[in-house]
Amino acid sequence: MHDDELFERFVTERVDVLLRYGYVLTGNPHDAADLVQEALVRLRGGWERVRRKHDPEAYVKTTMSRLHVNSWRLRRREQVTAEPPDRTWLDSPYEGSALWDTLARLPRRQRAVLVLRYYEQLTDAEIAVVLGISRGTVRSQASRALDKLRGDLPAIAASLGSKA
């Protein structure tokens, strides 16, 4: 099979998984699609090398994680929202829930560490490699994020209890 066909096959088979991963990282379906697109463009440039030496999906997820963490430089003052200010629209079933709102308030790096640890089930060493930070930074970011989540736990529990 030709390299172009292998690349197209990989994209076709894994794009849904990559979009879900991007959504968990960003909390926004539009940003998730942008992350996937940019990561796949970068993968295409090195497809032959990556396909032979590495797992292409891991390469794309690592690229997405790094792009997400670094994106704050580009949007430092811009606040992207999923809904226009003149009407209510939920882009996903999670938006508007107390748990999702709490996760969305975490800084990008803390959210990325939690996603990689609990969604991707990576070790601290693997997370450090993916994000390009030290293992100690991974542990401190995870600790800070979990402390923030624990502080908001009463509000989350109250919200979940009112929906039951």
Side-chain angles (χ1 to χ4, degrees):
M1 203 179 275
H2 193 266
D3 270 356
D4 290 338
E5 293 169 346
L6 288 172
F7 179 75
E8 288 177 27
R9 186 173 170 194
F10 169 77
V11 171
T12 302
E13 291 174 357
R14 304 311 298 164
V15 71
D16 290 336
V17 170
L18 296 172
L19 283 169
R20 283 192 300 271
Y21 180 70
Y23 184 80
V24 172
L25 276 176
T26 65
N28 179 317
H30 309 293
D31 289 341
D34 289 345
L35 269 180
V36 170
Q37 181 177 2
E38 180 63 27
L40 289 175
V41 165
R42 291 177 183 208
L43 173 64
R44 184 62 186 110
W47 173 249
E48 187 175 325
R49 174 184 45 82
V50 173
R51 182 179 62 87
R52 289 190 182 136
K53 294 184 179 181
H54 304 292
D55 173 23
E57 185 173 336
Y59 177 90
V60 174
K61 287 182 176 180
T62 297
T63 301
M64 289 171 63
S65 298
R66 289 180 178 170
L67 287 168
H68 173 66
V69 169
N70 291 331
S71 68
W72 69 270
R73 291 183 188 121
L74 300 174
R75 297 191 225 171
R76 201 180 329 209
R77 295 187 177 118
E78 179 182 350
Q79 179 63 30
V80 179
T81 62
E83 53 190 70
D86 56 339
R87 61 183 175 162
T88 301
W89 173 267
L90 293 179
D91 262 345
S92 77
Y94 305 110
E95 289 183 22
S97 73
L99 178 59
W100 182 255
D101 291 344
T102 302
L103 286 172
R105 284 194 302 270
L106 290 175
R108 289 179 183 274
R109 185 179 286 174
Q110 289 178 9
R111 186 178 348 159
V113 166
L114 291 184
V115 166
L116 292 170
R117 181 181 274 183
Y118 296 108
Y119 184 75
E120 286 294 310
Q121 298 184 358
L122 299 180
T123 65
D124 289 348
E126 292 168 328
I127 295 168
V129 169
V130 168
L131 297 180
I133 57 178
S134 71
R135 286 175 43 192
T137 302
V138 169
R139 288 190 294 273
S140 70
Q141 292 294 302
S143 175
R144 289 179 184 143
L146 291 172
D147 284 346
K148 287 180 183 182
L149 292 177
R150 282 185 198 105
D152 290 340
L153 195 57
I156 294 169
S159 171
L160 293 175
S162 67
K163 292 182 181 180

